[in-house]
Amino acid sequence: MSTASTRTGSITVHTTEQGLPTGINIEADELRRQPGELAGEILRLCRQAGNRAGMARREQLEAAGMPSEMLALTGLPKAEDVAQQEMAEEQDYDVEPQSWLWSV
């Protein structure tokens, strides 16, 4: 199981190694967002958590002595693959707050 959350921690997802959500925590303020935006953010976090879990599994297999040729066949991401994916997604998605105002 793996976890990913927004920078503010207002949305957190728990997923399987394949990125399937097993739990989602959303703060009430996030429910005011457009449904499509919220869904996109949740899906992005699921992919992120799944990629991180795959990377961790790859590292476990590598530490256990699995040859690099076999690791390549698993399709599990390398650390640099995960880092590139996360950087690309941050540029594609608006991960900054849409407003600095909040309700009191």
Side-chain angles (χ1 to χ4, degrees):
M1 186 146 73
S2 185
T3 302
S5 61
T6 58
R7 287 183 184 171
T8 61
S10 58
I11 303 173
T12 302
V13 298
H14 307 279
T15 69
T16 64
E17 288 184 353
Q18 293 79 26
L20 299 173
T22 59
I24 301 173
N25 298 323
I26 303 173
E27 290 184 2
D29 288 344
E30 290 293 334
L31 297 175
R32 293 187 181 109
R33 293 173 67 173
Q34 292 294 319
E37 290 176 15
L38 181 58
E41 185 71 9
I42 292 168
L43 289 175
R44 182 184 73 80
L45 291 171
C46 287
R47 277 192 306 273
Q48 188 178 75
N51 284 338
R52 289 178 182 176
M55 177 185 67
R57 175 66 68 194
R58 182 185 186 99
E59 290 170 352
Q60 287 174 341
L61 294 172
E62 190 173 36
M66 181 178 270
S68 59
E69 301 83 27
M70 296 297 288
L71 281 172
L73 293 174
T74 64
L76 295 170
K78 298 177 187 174
E80 51 273 1
D81 297 334
V82 173
Q84 285 179 342
Q85 177 77 24
E86 289 182 13
M87 287 176 62
E89 285 182 351
E90 281 189 17
Q91 292 173 359
D92 289 344
Y93 289 89
D94 184 19
V95 295
E96 297 296 325
Q98 294 178 358
S99 171
W100 294 103
L101 302 174
W102 63 88
S103 59
V104 288

